[in-house]
Amino acid sequence: MTASLYEIALGPDKSQRAVVDAITCEAPILRDLPMEPSSHGLWNIYESMKDVTGGDLVDLDAPLPKVSAESELKQTDLSIIGGEMEVGEDTARKLGGPVSYFAKKATPVLRKTGMSAERSLLYDNFRAFAIRNGNVQSAGGTGTKNYSILCVHYVPGEITGVYDPAGFGNGKTFDLTPIAGGELYKNAEGRLVYGMRLKTYFGVQLANPDYVSAIVNCDIDSDSTSARTFPTMRQMDKLLIDARAGQNTFIFCHPAVKAYLGTTCKLEHMTLVSGNGFSTQIDAWNGVPIITSFNFDNGTETAVSL
């Protein structure tokens, strides 16, 4: 695969390690997202194949078949990951000044920023893309206590993250800049404050519906042998087939889904003993790694009508 978001953001001089670590420490899927430079700064132009006719085997001296490739240009726009933080003049003074205050607050704010960005990646990009293209199955759950399972096959130029290689012209992927040059200013409420701004440009290119699949409506609490509301082994196999699983393919889900998947599927067929302990955990499905994230909703998804 191409370099990950973590590797791109870290850069060769690793000067932003503290910032990048804080943003990605609770966002493992975002951290490892493969990235490619955009073609035009804040947007990426790519070629999407519409109709391809290939060659074929023919007899000796027979005429060769006509081959063709029709395509259209499409565009992926980059979005912004970022936010602003303010502190009142008096509060900043009590806590050692604005620089000291923002340094103390930066880690939890950056961590939450990464978590929010990863949730958007999972729901607004991968899951929405699979549903929109009909590459989705229902596990049978209803109501508002569901989970989703995603399968994503990263392919350069087709399913990948996109970043502006120029960044902000200062060699930094994540740009933290004091507002008003670090001086006091009056905010929208009329208070005198100091401010700090975090900003980066980021995009997700989803150019091929064959490489992203999903299972929705996975209700662990209501699952039973008589009324299944959690994916069967056959559905899990189809999840991989629907994403044309191969190299650089991953299953994404909440940790509770991975745990229950191990319990329901493994214990029906085998008992696992790891050292002196008993384990129901599974780390891969038919060779495809299972990556968990707490940025999936924890059994609070509303059922999707398919």
Side-chain angles (χ1 to χ4, degrees):
M1 289 192 296
T2 53
S4 68
L5 180 142
Y6 182 85
E7 293 168 325
I8 294 295
L10 199 59
D13 62 359
K14 299 178 174 54
S15 61
Q16 285 198 299
R17 180 180 290 277
V19 173
V20 178
D21 284 347
I23 287 177
T24 61
C25 66
E26 295 291 342
I29 297 170
L30 180 69
R31 178 190 63 213
D32 294 331
L33 178 70
M35 302 292 292
E36 295 182 2
S38 62
S39 61
H40 295 78
L42 298 184
W43 67 90
N44 187 58
I45 303 295
Y46 65 95
E47 190 176 28
S48 176
M49 292 298 172
K50 295 174 58 179
D51 187 22
V52 179
T53 303
D56 202 350
L57 292 172
V58 298
D59 294 331
L60 293 175
D61 296 325
L64 294 174
K66 297 290 185 181
V67 297
S68 64
E70 296 182 17
S71 65
E72 61 180 339
L73 293 179
K74 292 188 176 182
Q75 178 174 315
T76 295
D77 293 325
L78 274 63
S79 301
I80 294 172
I81 298 176
E84 295 179 359
M85 183 165 43
E86 291 181 339
V87 58
E89 177 184 14
D90 298 327
T91 300
R93 183 177 180 182
K94 278 186 190 178
L95 298 175
V99 174
S100 175
Y101 175 85
F102 290 131
K104 292 175 183 176
K105 294 289 186 179
T107 297
V109 169
L110 292 171
R111 182 170 61 245
K112 186 63 177 178
T113 298
M115 294 169 68
S116 297
E118 179 168 281
R119 188 186 185 283
S120 178
L121 173 68
L122 296 171
Y123 283 98
D124 300 337
N125 291 275
F126 293 150
R127 193 180 86 141
F129 186 67
I131 293 173
R132 186 165 63 247
N133 290 288
N135 212 9
V136 59
Q137 305 173 74
S138 174
T142 59
T144 58
K145 296 183 178 180
N146 300 290
Y147 295 90
S148 292
I149 305 174
L150 308 177
C151 185
V152 178
H153 183 172
Y154 293 127
V155 178
E158 297 188 66
I159 306 297
T160 182
V162 182
Y163 71 99
D164 180 3
F168 289 87
N170 56 8
K172 295 180 179 179
T173 302
F174 292 99
D175 187 64
L176 283 84
T177 299
I179 299 173
E183 301 297 326
L184 276 172
Y185 65 94
K186 189 173 291 187
N187 67 6
E189 290 78 38
R191 295 192 306 128
L192 286 172
V193 298
Y194 295 98
M196 179 70 72
R197 186 266 284 145
L198 163 70
K199 195 173 188 181
T200 190
Y201 298 115
F202 168 81
V204 183
Q205 184 157 298
L206 300 171
N208 193 329
D210 292 335
Y211 292 136
V212 182
S213 61
I215 303 177
V216 296
N217 305 336
C218 307
D219 187 341
I220 293 175
D221 291 342
S222 301
D223 188 46
S224 66
T225 54
S226 59
R228 295 304 301 266
T229 56
F230 192 78
T232 62
M233 297 179 71
R234 186 173 182 178
Q235 284 182 307
M236 289 297 298
D237 290 341
K238 187 175 186 301
L239 177 75
L240 304 191
I241 294 170
D242 286 347
R244 299 190 178 184
Q247 288 188 327
N248 304 328
T249 305
F250 302 90
I251 295 170
F252 299 140
C253 64
H254 190 278
V257 171
K258 179 182 176 182
Y260 191 70
L261 188 64
T263 300
T264 56
C265 293
K266 271 199 164 180
L267 294 186
E268 291 176 0
H269 303 281
M270 66 186 76
T271 297
L272 290 183
V273 177
S274 177
N276 294 323
F278 175 76
S279 174
T280 61
Q281 288 291 317
I282 55 176
D283 295 320
W285 189 274
N286 289 340
V288 176
I290 300 173
I291 310 299
T292 63
S293 171
F294 284 104
N295 296 317
F296 278 98
D297 292 348
N298 188 9
T300 58
E301 295 178 11
T302 299
V304 178
S305 298
L306 301 178

